[in-house]
Amino acid sequence: MKYFIVTYGCQMNVHESEKIAAILEKLGYQPCEKREEADIIVFNTCAIREGAEERVFGNVGNLKKLKKAKKDLIIVLCGCMTQKEETAQKMMRTFPFVDIVIGTFNLPKLADYIAAVKQGRQLQIWQEGDIDESLPYKRTSGDNAWVNIMQGCNNFCTYCIVPYVRGREKSREEQNILNEIKQILSEKKYKKITLLGQNVNSYGKDLKQPVSFAKLLKDICALEGDFKLSFMTSHPKDLTDEVIDVIANEEKIEKYIHLPAQSGNNRILALMNRKYTREKYLSIIEKIRAKIPNCRITSDFIVGFPSESEEEFNDTLSLVKQVQFDSIFAFMYSPREGTVASKMENQVPQNVKNERVNKLLQEEKRIQKETGKR
Ligand code: 5AD
Ligand code: SF4
C-alpha cells in the first residue's frame, strides 16, 4: 500500500504533513513518487490567499480520473481550507469522489477515519480540538527538524484567515517541547531545530504557569548538543528586548529574524490592526541591528490593502529602501471571506495590485544589487 501527500502553504503545513506521513506509515503505507501509484492521496491545503485555494480546486479535480481507474483509492482533503465549513462543504459537493474532508484539528483521528472509509463511509469533520501530543512525526526536511510550539493566533489582523481556521493561541507545555527536542537531538541526525508558531513571541502566555518565549529559547539552548536554533514567525508588537538579548547572547541561536511589516504606512497598519506604527517598527530594527550585528532580517508585505492610495504604497517602498532587508515576500492583498478587511470599501483593482507588487519586487532587486545582499 502506497501514499502520496501534496502540501500547500507554510512550514506549519509542511510539518503537519510529517505527522500525516507518520500516521500512514503506522498503518502500513509506504511513500511513492507519483500520485498514480498511490492507494491513498492526501491534500494538505492552504487558505491564506485565493490563489492557493484555486490551485487546490484545480488539482483535486484532476484526481477524478484516477479514482475512476482505481475504485479503492482513498482521497483525503485536510488543512486550512477544509477547516472552513462552507469551503469544506463546497469541496464535498464539487468532488463527490473525495472520501475524507477534515479540518486542522482532526488529524489525530485520521487512522480511525481511514478505517471507516474502508467500510464504505464518507466523512466530513471540522470540530475544534486541543494540541495533540500523542502522535510522532516522520521528519522529511533533511538535517532540519521542525518543532511546533503553539497553534492558532489571537491577533485578528483584519486581512488574515488564520485565526478563523487555526483557532485561538494554544501553547504546548514547555516540558513537552524540551522532551521532543531532546529526543530529536539524541538521534544525532539533526543540526538545526526550527520552532514554529503563527506568533512565536506570544508563546506561553496562555499556559497555566506562563513561560516567556525568551525563557523557552534559553532552556532549549541549555540542552546538550551541537545544533542551531531558529524560529518563525515573529510579530513586531510582541518581539521583546529580552528576546532580542537572548538571540544576541546565545551562540546556538541563528542570527536571523523574519519580522513581517506588512505595510510602511501608519493609516494602513491601523486598518490592518497590526498594533504598531512605522516608527515603532523602525525602532525595533534599529535595536536588533545595534545588539545583533550582521543579523539577517526578512519581511512580508501586502500591497493593495483596501483603500491603499499610491502615496501610502510609496511609504511601503520607502520602508523597504530604508531597512534594506535581506529579502522580502510581497503579496497582493487577497480578500478572505469572513475577515474584516474583505468587507471594507474601496477594494483596490487587480491591475493596481499587480503594478504595486512588481514595483516593490523591482525595488527589492535594485537594493539587493546595490548592497550585495542575496
Ligand atoms: N492577502 C495577501 N497576503 C496575505 N497574507 C496573509 N493574509 C493575506 C491576505 N489575505 C500574507 C502576510 C503574511 C503572509 C504569511 O501571508 O504577509 O505575513
Ligand atoms: Fe494572521 Fe496576523 Fe495572526 Fe499572522 S499575526 S497569523 S497575519 S492574524
Side-chain angles (χ1 to χ4, degrees):
M1 292 198 303
K2 305 240 165 77
Y3 72 87
F4 190 86
I5 303 174
V6 189
T7 308
Y8 298 85
C10 65
Q11 277 78 11
M12 194 73 83
N13 263 17
V14 171
H15 187 38
E16 261 169 19
S17 287
E18 296 183 333
K19 183 171 273 192
I20 296 168
I23 295 170
L24 296 178
E25 294 200 3
K26 205 169 160 211
L27 291 175
Y29 290 93
Q30 289 301 312
C32 63
E33 300 282 311
K34 289 190 198 143
R35 55 195 83 185
E36 288 77 14
E37 297 166 6
D39 300 288
I40 184 163
I41 299 178
V42 182
F43 273 69
N44 193 3
T45 64
C46 168
I48 198 95
R49 280 171 292 274
E50 202 176 341
E53 293 204 347
E54 279 166 359
R55 268 199 308 274
V56 170
F57 267 97
N59 288 331
V60 173
N62 290 337
L63 295 181
K64 193 174 176 182
K65 271 184 271 158
L66 281 185
K67 182 84 176 192
K68 244 189 177 163
K70 200 187 223 175
K71 286 246 154 42
D72 291 341
L73 173 66
I74 297 176
I75 299 174
V76 183
L77 309 183
C78 63
C80 289
M81 255 175 105
T82 50
Q83 183 62 38
K84 293 187 288 175
E85 191 168 335
E86 268 170 34
T87 314
Q89 272 163 352
K90 183 175 163 201
M91 291 176 103
M92 215 57 166
R93 272 199 314 274
T94 319
F95 310 118
F97 55 88
V98 164
D99 300 285
I100 303 176
V101 178
I102 53 171
T104 50
F105 299 94
N106 309 124
L107 274 188
K109 287 210 178 133
L110 181 59
D112 295 346
Y113 303 150
I114 291 171
V117 163
K118 285 186 173 166
Q119 286 166 7
R121 287 181 58 197
Q122 200 186 32
L123 293 164
Q124 260 183 304
I125 295 151
W126 46 82
Q127 273 158 355
E128 283 221 19
D130 263 336
I131 286 191
D132 169 58
E133 292 286 351
S134 65
L135 296 168
Y137 292 92
K138 186 203 171 198
R139 302 194 183 275
T140 56
S141 297
D143 64 4
N144 173 60
W146 307 108
V147 175
N148 183 249
I149 62 168
M150 62 198 296
Q151 68 183 26
C153 184
N154 290 352
N155 289 320
F156 289 92
C157 301
T158 52
Y159 51 79
C160 188
I161 194 75
V162 167
Y164 302 92
V165 293
R166 294 272 174 187
R168 296 300 79 72
E169 282 171 10
K170 280 188 200 138
S171 302
R172 289 178 68 195
E173 290 294 338
E174 188 189 27
Q175 201 49 53
N176 290 341
I177 298 170
L178 292 173
N179 288 345
E180 183 182 344
I181 296 176
K182 273 190 222 162
Q183 165 65 35
I184 290 168
L185 295 172
S186 74
E187 291 178 38
K188 309 244 180 262
K189 279 193 288 198
Y190 303 100
K191 294 198 169 66
K192 204 177 150 189
I193 306 281
T194 307
L195 308 180
L196 294 178
Q198 247 78 41
N199 181 13
V200 289
N201 294 281
S202 61
Y203 168 78
K205 288 182 185 163
D206 59 309
L207 291 173
K208 263 196 204 128
Q209 287 182 319
V211 177
S212 72
F213 183 54
K215 176 174 182 320
L216 175 70
L217 288 175
K218 277 192 263 183
D219 290 346
I220 295 172
C221 288
L223 296 175
E224 227 172 89
D226 187 16
F227 63 95
K228 282 279 178 201
L229 180 63
S230 61
F231 52 84
M232 62 177 71
T233 291
S234 295
H235 192 304
K237 81 176 167 55
D238 297 314
L239 184 65
T240 58
D241 290 0
E242 206 190 349
V243 167
I244 297 175
D245 287 336
V246 176
I247 302 169
N249 297 334
E250 293 285 352
E251 239 175 67
K252 287 178 178 169
I253 300 186
E254 254 185 58
K255 308 308 171 208
Y256 166 58
I257 301 179
H258 182 59
L259 197 64
Q262 312 297 3
S263 168
N265 175 269
N266 285 339
R267 190 185 74 90
I268 296 293
L269 284 171
L271 280 180
M272 286 177 166
N273 192 30
R274 291 291 288 177
K275 302 195 177 86
Y276 54 84
T277 59
R278 174 191 178 97
E279 293 70 31
K280 172 84 185 145
Y281 186 87
L282 286 170
S283 76
I284 299 169
I285 298 286
E286 246 175 60
K287 234 184 260 173
I288 296 171
R289 295 220 160 119
K291 288 190 171 170
I292 320 170
N294 300 324
C295 185
R296 280 196 309 126
I297 304 175
T298 59
S299 195
D300 292 345
F301 289 92
I302 296 176
V303 303
F305 186 82
S307 80
E308 182 191 61
S309 69
E310 199 62 25
E311 267 175 18
E312 288 166 336
F313 165 68
N314 285 338
D315 287 341
T316 295
L317 272 183
S318 80
L319 183 82
V320 168
K321 269 187 214 163
Q322 199 170 338
V323 175
Q324 304 201 338
F325 293 99
D326 289 82
S327 76
I328 61 163
F329 295 93
F331 304 107
M332 287 182 273
Y333 168 71
S334 169
R336 308 282 64 215
E337 212 183 326
T339 60
V340 173
S342 70
K343 297 182 208 86
M344 287 179 182
E345 285 177 11
N346 295 324
Q347 297 281 328
V348 173
Q350 190 58 37
N351 62 327
V352 177
K353 289 185 202 170
N354 268 325
E355 266 170 34
R356 289 184 188 167
V357 88
N358 288 335
K359 259 193 204 165
L360 187 55
L361 290 172
Q362 267 168 19
E363 182 59 27
E364 158 77 352
K365 249 194 203 155
R366 198 189 60 73
I367 296 169
Q368 290 188 337
K369 244 189 185 165
E370 215 174 83
T371 58
K373 285 181 178 171
R374 238 181 345 116

